[in-house]
Amino acid sequence: MHWATVDPFLLDDPFWQHKMGMPVANKQFLEALLQYGECSSYRFFVEDTAASERLFQYFQKYHADKPVDVQPAASLPFALQKRRADVFHNGDFTYSMPYLIEWRNGLEAGRRFPVTGVTHSLDTVSLYAKFIHLLLARPKPYDAIVCTSRCAVQMLEQAFQEIRTRFREHFSATLPEPPRLVHIPLGIPERIQPFPSRKAARETLGIPQDPVVVLSLGRLSPRAKMDLSPLLEGFFWLCRVLDQGGGPKVLLILAGAGRKDNVRLVWDIIQALGLGETVRVLPNVSEEVKDTLYAAADIFCSMVDNYQETFGLTLLEAMGAGLPIVASDFNGYRDLVLHGATGFLIPTYASSSPEPWEALAGLLSPSIVRFYRAQKVAFDVKEWIQALHTLICEGDLRRYFAEKARCRAQEFQWDRVIRAYRELWVDLVSHARQEARRTMDNVRSTVLTPSMNKIFSHYPSMALNDATLVGLGPMGAVFLTRGHPSLAYVELEPFLRQDVLHALARRVSQKDMTVEELKRWGVENTHIDSCVAVLHLDWLIKHGVLAPQKNANALLRACR
């Protein structure tokens, strides 16, 4: 199978690469794909030449033995003419997938390929607009959205149904069916180095050996992940119950990425509740420190309340470290935690009353809308306190859950996840090839991508066409003697050949020719594609080597 993508799967920002769910998951997917994918080739079509060079260097450093090819995305039409791709996969289905599908649909049926993409956050208005774009792109039955949770499958089913219903009601329009929705979870990598011992981890972090440590790891932001105030308020009462009942000492660690203002807000809540001695805040920890935190903890707690959350990668990581889980029964979390076996899922409640800001969601910042919506989501504080109290006080149960959690995490190893992807891709490729045998339709009209030549035709003084007569320009003679430097930006280097530029210039120096004649001559004599021939002509005209013969065009128009 020849695998391809228009997604680099890596962020250029080293800070957020390791601190946000989507970049972490995408990088892990990429590493796992190259390790377990068993594809004949991996082709990356990324933003520009600079991005392709950076990604190429990454692969040279870490995966030099893999059949990886990296090119600028602009080379995609020419690259696929030389070698087809069996499937295109993207790390997020809302970015490039609609446009890739629309472009793919314009290819001959025999050259078409499945397009797949993954869900991450699904809750913003701008993403909802992307859902509409995806339907307008006319996806095929062999395209698929990989949903990382069952809740994501159900959400997209309902979203696409609502969109199609509203288009039918408001515009009497029937939109195409959405792509196939498939549930494949995220994964965790196989550990090469074991976690440090609990004793060593606590010594590294400066944590006493005796308290039961509860770890909560996630972005420290009530707008982007979870509102920690109910958790801290509940922890205040939990500490009182433990003190009154002579229970074990307990320490809560709040760790994760966060801006200074968000970290300060968390500290303000801690101080207001008088929890300074029993709560630690560790913002923006490194990957190494994160592993040390997992090793030092006894219980992992994540009470997410934000619709931004789709899966819950930190829960998998914690389970892989052998931690029992106490988590909100929310979205993807319920796919991961086995209630009463690997931890406890705490019931959540959401108000169904209308949101006063819902109609303004497209005008407000996505983060503030997320904050307001999360304020309408609550978890059962009483059950949360009882669950934590049980795990804190019952060491045997804690250890039993820990072992079950570790075993549960093994089911989400990346080798298994990649195997599920491969099975999906094989099935989609089979369906795509069956369609190619049934039909040879070639739909080139687009909805999402504008026809620049039509809607901007009035911008230039003159729009060149196949009938335009071209002669030598003011720099033509100098160019032919090679006294004129052949300047070309790095983005054009993959498409421009110096021998073709000079061959076309020499041909025009013998006699003026129309654009159509030059294209045909270039294809026949220099063995380039017609579109590539036009790129060469455009360069020659831009740099004054060739020039349209205006008088001849005026005469041609007068004769029509």
Side-chain angles (χ1 to χ4, degrees):
M1 176 180 293
H2 295 286
W3 182 93
T5 184
V6 291
D7 189 336
F9 284 85
L10 298 173
L11 282 187
D12 286 334
D13 187 334
F15 179 82
W16 288 112
Q17 174 64 71
H18 302 290
K19 291 180 173 60
M20 290 180 64
M22 184 176 75
V24 170
N26 278 350
K27 183 178 181 182
Q28 289 185 3
F29 170 87
L30 175 61
E31 298 291 332
L33 177 69
L34 294 174
Q35 183 176 359
Y36 306 114
E38 301 179 356
C39 294
S40 302
S41 65
Y42 303 91
R43 303 168 72 186
F44 293 79
F45 298 91
V46 295
E47 181 180 3
D48 53 25
T49 302
S52 63
E53 180 60 27
R54 288 194 299 272
L55 190 59
F56 176 77
Q57 292 301 326
Y58 174 85
F59 290 132
Q60 284 293 101
K61 183 176 181 179
Y62 297 106
H63 301 285
D65 60 327
K66 301 298 182 181
V68 173
D69 179 45
V70 186
Q71 299 180 48
S75 65
L76 183 56
F78 315 111
L80 291 193
Q81 287 180 352
K82 297 178 181 178
R83 189 175 68 193
R84 66 176 295 165
D86 292 313
V87 65
F88 267 78
H89 178 71
N90 300 292
D92 190 303
F93 82 97
T94 62
Y95 286 97
S96 303
M97 191 171 175
Y99 304 99
L100 185 58
I101 286 175
E102 188 173 66
W103 175 73
R104 184 274 319 274
N105 288 347
L107 301 176
E108 292 82 5
R111 294 177 55 210
R112 293 179 187 169
F113 44 79
V115 179
T116 58
V118 186
T119 61
H120 292 283
S121 297
L122 297 169
D123 62 323
T124 64
V125 172
S126 60
L127 288 176
Y128 202 75
K130 290 287 189 178
F131 302 166
I132 298 174
H133 291 173
L134 190 56
L135 295 179
L136 292 175
R138 299 189 298 262
K140 296 288 186 179
Y142 49 79
D143 297 320
I145 298 173
V146 178
C147 304
T148 58
S149 67
R150 290 175 297 161
C151 275
V153 173
Q154 187 175 350
M155 179 272 170
L156 286 175
E157 287 175 345
Q158 293 170 172
F160 285 128
Q161 180 180 0
E162 181 180 43
I163 290 168
R164 299 179 78 232
T165 297
R166 291 189 178 181
F167 265 73
R168 185 165 54 250
E169 291 174 350
H170 294 298
F171 311 113
S172 300
T174 302
L175 291 182
E177 293 280 348
R180 188 187 306 186
L181 302 178
V182 181
H183 176 214
I184 301 178
L186 297 179
I188 54 173
E190 182 180 358
R191 288 196 64 83
I192 300 175
Q193 297 293 334
F195 285 98
S197 69
R198 180 177 181 273
K199 182 175 183 294
R202 292 197 174 192
E203 289 176 350
T204 299
L205 296 170
I207 298 174
Q209 297 294 329
D210 54 330
V212 175
V213 174
V214 180
L215 172 64
S216 180
L217 177 63
R219 271 173 283 170
L220 302 175
S221 169
R223 294 188 179 193
K225 188 71 173 182
M226 69 183 88
D227 184 352
L228 290 171
S229 59
L231 182 148
L232 288 168
E233 291 162 359
F235 188 70
F236 169 82
W237 290 106
L238 173 64
C239 290
R240 292 190 64 174
V241 171
L242 290 170
D243 288 341
Q244 293 170 1
K249 293 181 180 180
V250 63
L251 175 67
L252 173 63
I253 298 178
L254 305 176
R259 298 187 320 223
K260 290 182 179 179
D261 56 341
N262 286 326
V263 175
R264 191 181 308 113
L265 177 61
V266 173
W267 265 119
D268 288 343
I269 298 171
I270 292 170
Q271 296 302 320
L273 293 169
L275 294 173
E277 297 298 320
T278 53
V279 179
R280 290 193 184 185
V281 180
L282 300 177
N284 303 316
V285 295
S286 65
E287 286 294 294
E288 294 75 18
V289 173
K290 187 170 76 168
D291 279 357
T292 306
L293 285 168
Y294 284 137
D298 297 295
I299 302 166
F300 187 81
C301 180
S302 183
M303 304 309 295
V304 71
D305 57 10
N306 200 299
Y307 290 98
Q308 172 269 342
E309 183 64 80
T310 307
F311 181 73
L313 195 55
T314 55
L315 267 66
L316 265 190
E317 293 173 347
M319 290 163 62
L323 293 179
I325 307 297
V326 178
S328 49
D329 183 21
F330 197 81
N331 200 346
Y333 283 18
R334 62 176 63 113
D335 289 344
L336 307 178
V337 180
L338 300 179
H339 183 72
T342 63
F344 295 113
L345 287 172
I346 308 304
T348 54
Y349 315 108
S351 171
S352 59
S353 61
E355 299 177 358
W357 50 81
E358 183 167 77
L360 297 176
L363 304 177
L364 301 176
S365 163
S367 67
I368 194 64
V369 174
R370 281 173 167 161
F371 170 76
Y372 286 141
R373 286 176 174 163
Q375 293 304 300
K376 295 166 69 67
V377 177
F379 65 85
D380 191 311
V381 177
K382 181 180 179 180
E383 287 208 23
W384 179 78
I385 292 175
Q386 289 176 340
L388 268 183
H389 187 275
T390 299
L391 287 176
I392 289 169
C393 296
E394 299 183 24
D396 289 342
L397 180 64
R398 196 165 64 236
R399 286 184 284 274
Y400 173 78
F401 278 10
E403 186 56 37
K404 290 291 185 180
R406 187 181 288 109
C407 294
R408 172 71 170 163
Q410 298 303 309
E411 300 176 17
F412 295 87
Q413 292 279 0
W414 272 115
D415 59 339
R416 297 190 181 191
V417 174
I418 295 300
R419 192 182 310 130
Y421 269 99
R422 184 171 179 81
E423 291 171 358
L424 170 66
W425 291 331
V426 168
D427 182 51
L428 296 177
V429 169
S430 174
H431 280 76
R433 291 177 179 172
Q434 289 175 17
E435 184 202 58
R437 289 192 291 269
R438 289 195 305 266
T439 177
M440 291 301 291
D441 66 305
N442 190 15
V443 181
R444 294 192 178 274
S445 61
T446 59
V447 175
L448 302 180
T449 306
S451 176
M452 300 296 289
N453 289 338
K454 291 181 179 179
I455 64 178
F456 287 97
S457 61
H458 57 293
Y459 272 43
S461 305
M462 173 184 171
L464 308 184
N465 54 44
D466 285 350
T468 300
L469 195 64
V470 177
L472 276 185
M475 303 301 295
V478 178
F479 180 79
L480 287 171
T481 61
R482 298 186 184 271
H484 182 284
S486 299
L487 302 175
Y489 293 108
V490 66
E491 300 300 337
L492 293 174
E493 288 179 358
F495 312 117
L496 295 181
R497 286 170 40 189
Q498 293 297 317
D499 61 323
V500 173
L501 291 172
H502 282 85
L504 289 170
R506 284 194 302 271
R507 181 62 178 166
V508 174
S509 70
Q510 298 171 11
K511 70 167 187 175
D512 294 350
M513 299 179 68
T514 65
V515 169
E516 175 62 27
E517 291 171 335
L518 280 170
K519 284 196 299 184
R520 188 165 55 249
W521 187 87
V523 170
E524 293 173 354
N525 292 275
T526 63
H527 308 292
I528 58 175
D529 180 83
S530 176
C531 291
V532 177
V534 172
L535 293 179
H536 286 76
L537 289 176
D538 290 338
W539 188 93
L540 291 168
I541 293 172
K542 188 174 187 69
H543 291 273
V545 178
L546 303 182
Q549 304 302 293
K550 299 177 183 178
N551 292 337
N553 276 279
L555 179 61
L556 180 64
R557 287 195 299 271
C559 294
R560 288 177 175 170

